[in-house]
Structures are given as C-alpha cells and as structure tokens.
C-alpha cells in the first residue's frame, strides 16, 4: 500500500519519435541493472528543475539525443519499495539538431554511464508494446499511437507568457510603458528559461513595453536569439483595436510555425484565449482559462497545434507551466 504521508517522487521522460518512410518509430532504452526496456526518463533534480527540463535532460543523458517537447502524454504512477508513489510525466518529443538555439540554454548535460543505460534502440511503434518490460509504459505509447493515427502527432508549439511580477502602478512614477519587473519578477523571468528551452523555442515575440521584454530577456541572452516586438500586444493597443491581436494570433495558430513564445499583459489575455478557443475541440475548451487573471505572473500557457487533413488547424493539447512561485 502506498504511503500517502510521503510526497510523491516526481520524474519525467519522453517518447521520442521519428518517421522512416511511412513507419512511425520510437526510441527505447535498456537498463542493465534491471535488465528492462523502457522510455528514457528520470527523477527531477533537487534544485527546482521543472518537469519539462527534466524530460529533455534525461533523454539527452540516456540516449545522447537532443529533443524538443511536443504533446503531453499520460503520466505513469507506481509504488516504490519504500511505499512512496513515483509519478512520471511524459511528452511526445522529436529529435532536434544541437545547432538549435534552444539547446544552449539547457546547459551542459553529461551522458549516463553504461551501468545505467547500455543501449538505445529505434523500434517500430506498434512493436514497442512487446519489447516494453513494464505494462504501465504501454499507456503513453497508446496515446502516442492514437495521435499518429488521427494525424495529430506532428504539432507546432506557441507559448503565451504573462509577464513577470512588475512594480505596482501606484509606486511607479515613470511612464506605464517603462514600468519594470520587481526582483521577484526578474527571478520568474530567469526561471522560465529552461522551460522555453525544453519546448525548443526559436522565435521570441513581445509587447514592446519594458515588463514584457524583461520577462523574455534572460532567454534571449541564453539562446542568442533576437527579439521581435509586436506593438499590437500592448495594453493600450489591444484596448483600442482587438482585431490587431486577433490577426496576430491567427497567423501563429493557423499555420505551422517555429516554436514561439509571446510575452504580453494580463488585459490582452482574454483576446488571445478567445482565438485559442475558436480552434479548440469541446473537450479541450474547458481547459482554457476563463477567469481573471487567466494566468499568474510569470506563468506560461503552452499551446500545441496541428493541421488536420481538411487543412484547418486545431488545438491538440494545452499546458500551464511556471518556473517559480511568487
């Protein structure tokens, strides 16, 4: 029986996939200590590592392959020998070149020893069911196969960031456009760097106002990317003309795009969320934030989009991520 008085052990991993010809393949690892075949995964570091960063780090350590995360998959829970419950979060993931700008912010990742993992192997996805040692590991594989068969596995990611905590309007004597982040807000901006890196963000777009730019500045520094500003994302512009925000989001959500983060303000979020809702199936529409403040300061809304055979894009999955609690 699981010991409910102990906190769950958090872990993360990924089902790395590729297409060879018309065949879907996934990447498995063999662990000599247990003599089992499983997905690359491992426990989060104790220094506040996020689950997305844990997933890409573990894949790199155990397979030598850099990946970017896609759609979240079902998590797996099981009991450890000491009575604690271990919860492993999984994502679909695709290999990416080490030249991708999102790799540098992840830092140096050491390879796992041969005592931990002695082989990684690409396997036809349906055949992986028979090779997997633990029956629990079949659950995320089943979800991956469903996405593949529905034509929804090949997604692109748009991340909406609410800027970090800023100085209050009453305490700031300068212009609204120059109101800065607080020290807590600056820490929030730093904390989202590895999360953006895990999703492979290659394009950074922001309202030109200081607090939004400062929220993505640490990622820009770490990745070497250039900032693109979008004046239509400011509070004033969105209040004056909502169509500018709708047009902007329509372009990101309506066609395949590089992984992108958009840094904006709380008052702009309802317009953005309406654009997401218009491309969402009913079962996912209930997960779209619908109450003020919509997102907390420094929080990320991770949007996974895919194009159907009809040519129309639709929402496949939605996540909320935050690197630091304020």
């Amino acid at each position: 029986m699981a010991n409910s008085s102990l906190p769950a052990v958090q872990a993360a991993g990924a089902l790395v996939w590729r297409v060879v010809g018309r065949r879907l393949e996934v990447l498995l690892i063999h662990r000599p200590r247990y003599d089992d075949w499983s997905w690359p995964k491992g426990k989060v570091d104790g220094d506040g590592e996020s689950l997305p960063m844990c997933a890409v780090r573990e894949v790199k350590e155990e397979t030598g392959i850099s990946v970017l995360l896609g759609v979240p998959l079902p998590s797996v829970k099981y009991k450890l020998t000491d009575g604690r419950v271990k919860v492993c979060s999984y994502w679909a993931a695709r290999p990416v070149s080490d030249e991708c700008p999102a790799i540098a912010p992840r830092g140096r990742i050491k390879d796992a020893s041969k005592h931990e993992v002695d082989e990684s192997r690409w396997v036809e996805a349906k055949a992986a069911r028979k090779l997997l040692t633990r029956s629990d590991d079949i659950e995320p594989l089943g979800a991956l196969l469903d996405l593949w068969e529905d034509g929804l596995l090949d997604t692109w990611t748009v991340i909406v960031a609410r800027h970090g905590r800023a100085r209050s309007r009453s305490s700031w004597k300068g212009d609204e456009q120059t109101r800065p982040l607080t020290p807590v807000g600056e820490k929030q901006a730093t904390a989202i760097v590895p999360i953006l890196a895990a999703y492979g963000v290659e394009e950074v777009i922001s309202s030109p106002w200081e607090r939004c730019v400062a929220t993505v500045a640490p990622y820009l520094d770490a990745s070497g990317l250039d900032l693109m500003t979008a004046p239509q994302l400011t509070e004033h512009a969105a209040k004056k003309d909502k169509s500018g925000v709708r047009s902007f989001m329509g372009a990101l959500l309506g066609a395949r795009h590089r992984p992108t983060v958009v840094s904006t303000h709380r008052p702009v979020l309802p317009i953005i969320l309406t654009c997401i809702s218009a491309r969402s199936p009913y079962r996912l529409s209930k997960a779209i934030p619908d109450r003020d403040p919509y997102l907390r300061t420094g929080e990320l809304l991770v949007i996974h989009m895919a194009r159907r055979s009809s040519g129309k894009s639709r929402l496949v999955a939605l996540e909320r991520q935050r690197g630091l609690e304020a």
Side-chain angles (χ1 to χ4, degrees):
M1 184 174 180
N3 190 337
S4 60
S5 65
L6 296 173
V9 176
Q10 297 294 328
L15 277 64
V16 185
W17 64 276
R18 70 182 184 184
V19 178
V20 178
R22 295 184 178 180
R23 188 175 74 167
L24 177 67
E25 295 184 343
V26 291
L27 188 62
L28 299 182
I29 62 164
H30 181 260
R31 301 184 299 174
R33 178 182 176 185
Y34 304 102
D35 190 22
D36 68 355
W37 287 94
S38 64
W39 308 117
K41 64 184 182 298
K43 293 185 293 185
V44 298
D45 279 347
D47 58 355
E49 182 181 49
S50 66
L51 286 169
M53 183 57 207
C54 174
V56 299
R57 176 182 56 76
E58 288 289 340
V59 172
K60 178 66 172 176
E61 283 182 356
E62 297 183 344
T63 71
I65 296 175
S66 296
V67 298
L68 59 85
L69 299 183
V71 179
L73 299 171
S75 60
V76 172
K77 299 180 182 180
Y78 52 91
K79 188 173 69 172
L80 301 173
T81 55
D82 62 4
R84 292 180 298 168
V85 172
K86 186 173 184 178
V87 181
C88 188
S89 300
Y90 285 107
W91 283 263
R94 298 194 72 173
V96 66
S97 166
D98 285 338
E99 300 303 313
C100 172
I103 300 303
R106 300 178 185 182
R108 185 173 180 271
I109 298 174
K110 297 181 179 179
D111 293 339
S113 73
K114 291 295 182 182
H115 298 291
E116 295 178 71
V117 176
D118 61 356
E119 184 181 352
S120 60
R121 183 186 300 178
W122 287 102
V123 179
E124 195 276 325
K126 290 184 178 179
R129 285 186 174 131
K130 295 181 179 180
L131 190 56
L132 286 165
T133 303
R134 295 182 60 91
S135 59
D136 292 342
D137 284 343
I138 296 175
E139 183 71 14
L141 175 62
L144 185 90
L145 286 167
D146 284 348
L147 289 165
W148 168 252
E149 291 168 2
D150 291 341
L152 298 175
L153 182 57
D154 188 11
T155 58
W156 70 92
T157 304
V158 178
I159 301 177
V160 176
R162 181 184 172 189
H163 66 68
R165 181 171 293 184
R167 290 275 299 273
S168 66
R169 286 180 169 85
S170 60
S171 69
W172 180 246
K173 304 306 179 183
D175 295 335
E176 180 64 11
Q177 295 93 321
T178 60
R179 184 155 59 92
L181 297 179
T182 64
V184 169
E186 291 172 353
K187 290 180 180 179
Q188 290 173 327
T190 299
I192 65 172
V193 169
I195 302 176
L196 298 178
Y199 291 101
V201 167
E202 293 186 47
E203 189 163 294
V204 182
I205 306 173
S206 176
S207 156
W209 289 10
E210 167 61 24
R211 52 193 179 273
C212 291
V213 172
T215 297
V216 292
Y219 185 74
L220 292 170
D221 290 341
S223 64
L225 291 167
D226 294 324
L227 176 67
M228 179 186 301
T229 57
Q232 60 269 48
L233 295 177
T234 67
E235 290 185 34
H236 291 172
K239 184 176 181 180
K240 184 177 180 180
D241 182 11
K242 296 180 180 179
S243 65
V245 180
R246 294 193 192 104
S247 177
F248 171 83
M249 287 305 300
L252 287 181
L253 301 176
R256 173 166 290 282
H257 205 272
R258 293 183 298 171
T260 300
V261 63
V262 177
S263 180
T264 190
H265 311 261
R266 179 190 58 79
V268 184
L269 292 176
I271 310 171
I272 291 175
L273 295 172
T274 298
C275 296
I276 299 169
S277 182
R279 292 169 171 80
S280 172
Y282 176 73
R283 67 178 180 83
L284 289 176
S285 64
K286 295 180 288 185
I288 298 174
D290 60 357
R291 294 185 180 181
D292 196 6
Y294 309 104
L295 296 174
R296 294 173 293 172
T297 57
E299 189 173 16
L300 307 174
L301 186 67
V302 185
I303 306 155
H304 301 278
M305 301 294 298
R307 184 174 295 280
R308 299 301 301 266
S309 57
S310 63
K312 294 183 178 180
S313 64
R314 59 155 281 188
L315 179 69
V316 178
L318 200 64
E319 304 177 71
R320 294 175 73 160
Q321 298 286 351
R322 202 179 197 209
L324 179 72
E325 297 294 332

